[in-house]
Each structure stands twice: as structure tokens, then as C-alpha cells.
Amino acid sequence: MYQSTLPGQFLSISESQADSIALQSNAEQVSYGDLKRRVDKVGSYFKQIGIEPGDRVALVIDNSVDYVTAFYAIWKVGGIVVSLNPQAKFHEIEKLIQQCEAKCLLIDKLNHANTEQLNQLSINMITLNQCDINGVANWSTALECEADNNWYSATEDTLAQIIYTSGTTGNPKGVLLSHGNLMCNVKDIIEYLELTREDSVLNVLPFHYCYGNSVLHTHFSVGGKVILAGSMAFPQEIVNTMREYKATGFSGVPSTFSLFLARSDWPQDPPPLRYMTQAGGPMGKELTQKLLQSSQPDTKLYVMYGQTEACARISWLPPHKLDEKLGSAGISLTHVDLEIRDENAQALPNGQKGEVYVKGPSIMQGYWNNAEASEQVLLNGWLKTGDLGYLDDEGYLYLVGRNSDMIKVGAHRINPLELEEVINKLGFVQESAVIGIEDEILGQKLRAFIVGEESRENLLALKKHCNEYLPTHKIPREIQWAEQLPKTASGKIKRYLLKS
Ligand code: ATP
């Protein structure tokens, strides 16, 4: 029996399974009971500094016990969690916390000057690191606060979380999710993955994206264990950790699985997993088959498709259908209605290609403070995903591309306009265009076309500028100088021509 919200579910599990391990991080094990005690203390601290229901609290920290503690503590006081990428550069973080008008910020990586600059924004700052800036609190102060046991009683309609994605106008958009959205999607995922409290998932996905976020909450909702693993830069270590902690599940994007197969002993000695999930982008048929052949015969592979605006998951491919429907993103979740529609939003019959529209209780409330962008994608309760595809005769979805210019590099969703805005700030750049080109490991990589004077000096200046203003995953890997960009009569860049 599930509670109607994730914090309600967490409270229930932390009572019924107080001694079960919730999080394993390196050698540290934290039980549900322990975690609840920490959450209660940090929640009291949030109350002390004036966080009220509906206030946004931004987390700019890596996956960790502290992340999860702060996350549930925000919900304890009725706040809205804003999960930001800790790899983001200062300018981006500053823009986002202003956009969502965060009242509090938890950080760990910023340097002294940036911390001081953010501190000017009349925001409560808490840092995981030692910091002597006046007005910036240390995380230990929150952890040592006297606990109280009063939890805000959220309902399904209470706003719960904002997850930022790259926007089509170049400005990131905050996907606003309610507790009802999250709980509905979590329950559907638990159902098809057949998760139980015996499950322990090894997680490498960043919690600030919807995929990692759903991995955390699905396993927490059944009282399972989440093993926090390090970076995919060391695939062998991740595989070793899976074996050491006897993980039953693993969730990855296509590049994660190709790294395991290429750079670890997985193919020789596949870990004894019950299930693997793959989402975040299309996984080629060859890699899917290779992964299946290189895994234990009883390990199930779940192909899943989703989008942040749909909370996380939209469809899943039942593992026993994997061979027959190879290349399909599967059938929609129990509480998701899915239709393929033409450019006039009219439903199309099976077999015909069009845009994927979805509806149901897991679809976002809209974009935070951006009614115009919300209206563009939410039509009479239906979400226009921007993905193109068709349904076969049995209702299995096949994705064939995107309606928009969004680029997916590994797990990161990137809007070229955002990068072009940064690049165009350089004096010698007249204009630029960024596209995604195929990459064996990451699915896509970034290539920038630059119109401007070609010189070694300018190239170095461009690289330096990108390093300063863009996080690593948004830095173009390839630069190509161009005399002009191909354009439509109305002046829109014809990106498909650049791709060819
Ligand atoms: P995450 O970014 O956390 O990995 P996600 O990919 O589900 O999760 P978004 O970052 O919002 O969510 O990206 C959604 C887009 O990714 C979809 O609109 C689609 O274009 C692409 N995508 C996701 N899953 C698949 C899949 N299985 N096959 C093809 N494309 C996918």
C-alpha cells in the first residue's frame, strides 16, 4: 500500500524498515531510520532560517547522502526542490537561482569569489565545505540542529520539484512537478520493474536529471537500497562495486553500457543483476544485442523512453518482447496515454509517423514562471514531446527523431541556442551554429560552425571562452569555420544541411 506522496512514503518506510539500508556510499551505510533522523535535523534548520511551504531551495551538489538528506528535508518543510547540475558554471547557476527565485542554496564546488558573489543575492547559502564568508552557513550547522518531528502534509497537488532542461529559446526551462506527478510515475515504474525491498540498485546517474531522480525515488518507495557509485570514467570500478555490494539492478544510458562492454571485464564475467534499465536516448540494435549476449542469461534488460516534462518515464519495452520488437521504445506506462499526431494535432492511425503526444497524471504542471513556453507544449492536458515516431499494429512505439533541435550528449539534454548565445558574445564571431553529430560512445557530440575570421589566435580565444562559460559536456568537441550558414528565407538556420 503506497502513500499518496513520496515524503509520505519515505516516512512510512523509515518507520516500518528503520534498520534497512537506504544508501550505501563507499563504506558508509545509512539506514532509513538514520536518514530520517538526519532529515529531521536539517528540516528544523530550514525552518529556523525561514524556509516556508512553496519556497524553492536549490541543490547544487553531487549525488551523496547529503544530497538525499537535503532533498527530503526540503519536502519535510513543504519546500520545492530545485536540482541543479553541480558541474554548471557559475554564470549558469546564478541565472537559474534567479529564475526560480530560490530562497536557499546548498553548494559545495564554487570558489570563494563566486560564493561571495552569490551571497549578495539575498539568498541563504549553505556549503558542504569549510567556508568563512560572513552569512554563509556550514552544512554541519544544519546536521547538528535539534530535530523536530513535524512534517508538512503535502497533497498530490503540492508542488514538489523543479528540474531544469535546456529551453527552445536558449533559456533553460524549469519543469515543475507536483507530488502527484512524481508518485504516479514512481508507482508505474515499480510495477513494471517488479521492484521490491530486496532490490539494491547501483546508481551512477546524476540525481539532478529526471532519470537519476526516478531511480532514487522508485527504490526508496519500496524500501530498497541505492548504492552511490563514482564516475563512469572508471567503468571497471563500477562493475567491481556492483559485484562487491551484490547490486540487483543497474540503470544507464547507452554510453554507459558501451563503456562497460569496451572497458571492463563485464563481457568475461557479467555481474549477476536481476535487471538493467536503459533510457536517456536511443540504444542501437547492435549494442542492445551485444549487451544481452554479454550479460547473465537471467538478467532482464528494460528499454525505456521518457522526458523530464513527463516526470521521467513514458514507455517501456517488456524484456520478453526485446527480440521481437528490437528498436522499439515499447508500450506506454499504466497511467500514460500516448498518441501520434500530425502537425494539426490530429491523431494518426498506427503505422503513420507523427509527433508523440502524452497525457496523464505524471505530466508536468508547466514550466516555472514561463507561461508562454508551457502553452507551446501543453495542449488540453496533452504534452507535445517534440519526439517523432509511430506505433506498430500492436501499439509498440518506434521513435524516429526529434521535431526540435535538441541534442543529447550522453545523459545531457542540450539546446544549441544556449551554446550559440555564449559563443556569439566573442567579438570576432559574426554568428554560429551548433549541431549534434554521431558519436560511438555518447550517442552525439557537439560540432560548432563559426562565421568569423579564422586564425589560431581566435581559435584559442574561442576554446578559452567556452571553458570559462560552459560546463564540460556543453563544450563543442569540433570547430568548423564557415563563410556563411545555410538559412531559410525567414533567416532560420537550416541545421539539417549542416548535418549533411
Ligand atoms: P535523463 O536526461 O535523466 O537521462 P530522459 O532522457 O528520460 O532522462 P530528458 O533529458 O528530458 O529525459 O530527455 C528526453 C529526450 O531524450 C526525449 O524527448 C527523447 O528525445 C530522448 N530519449 C529518451 N529516452 C529515449 C529512448 N529510449 N529512445 C530514444 N530517445 C530517447
Side-chain angles (χ1 to χ4, degrees), residues 165 209-212 253 278-282 303-309 312-313 329 385 387 399 402 406 408 411 413:
T165 71
Y209 286 143
C210 72
Y211 191 7
V253 294
Q278 176 263 308
V303 171
M304 319 188 300
Y305 154 65
Q307 190 175 69
T308 312
E309 287 82 345
R313 297 294 132 234
T385 62
D387 290 314
L399 294 164
R402 288 275 314 165
M406 192 251 284
K408 211 72 209 263
R413 179 167 146 176

